[in-house]
Amino acid sequence: MKRLEGKVAIVTGGSKGIGRGIGEALAREGAHVILAARDQEVIREVTVGMRAAGLHVRGLQADVSKEADVERLVDDVIRTEGGLDILVNNAGWGVFKPVIDMTVAEFDGMWATNMRGVFLMSKAAVPHMRKAGGGDIVHIASLAGKNAMKNGAGYCATKWALRGFAGSMMLEVREYNIRTITICPGSVETGFSQSGKKGANIPQPADVAAAVVFAVTAEGRAMFSEIDLRPTMP
């Protein structure tokens, strides 16, 4: 039997890169996966391909920075799937430039997706998980939330904030059997990565997805509250 058979999962930012990899990995373990992204056409194309491979996947358009979109997304999932067991807050946006060159719109945009989106999604999901007796909330943060980087002030700030949010929320919801897991990747070979690193020693989206699967399939008595994921070589 697959380890997540019958579980229901939402993955935000699910149309490409790490989010797409996480969605596919959860579905291969038997989960019913809802991939959420802002671009309706892109998410449709992704889910068509996954369903052709026999995976139980749906795509829904949603901008996680918008409260109405989040409420519509979660309500749809509860209505059609009957519950929500796993939430992966993966949607993220980064602008990498000196502070004096960054626009207010760019700064606000990162906070809207990277933190406001996490808050809105978590706030919407927790009541349903409490009612069901438990669940898993996975936040995809970054090693940029632990290590400052040149030209990364805005992005790093959102990821430092995410780790603080996740740690505090973990203490609030663990008594309801809801595990809060924060995964902090370093360089990953995706279109988003700023390192430009490629090759056999650079983690792939599938490696981040493997960490998510590892955490959410752990025995219920254990919680891996934070996982760092680094390249094997500098």
Side-chain angles (χ1 to χ4, degrees), residues 19 35 38 40 47 54 60 75 92 98 114 121 134-135 143 171 190 214 217 224 231-232:
L35 299 176
R38 289 181 293 184
Q40 177 67 59
T47 53
L60 291 175
D75 287 348
N114 300 358
M121 287 299 305
L143 289 179
L171 298 174
T190 68
F214 167 76
T217 58
F224 296 90
T232 54

Side-chain angles (χ1 to χ4, degrees), residues 28 57 75 77 133 137 141 159 168 180 190 200 204 225 231:
R28 290 194 182 282
V57 177
D75 287 348
V77 171
I137 298 178
K159 294 302 183 179
S168 295
T180 302
T190 68
Q204 303 296 307
S225 56

Side-chain angles (χ1 to χ4, degrees), residues 2 79 154 156 163 168 174 228:
K2 296 179 180 179
R79 183 180 67 256
C156 288
R163 291 181 57 238
S168 295
R174 65 190 301 186
D228 289 354

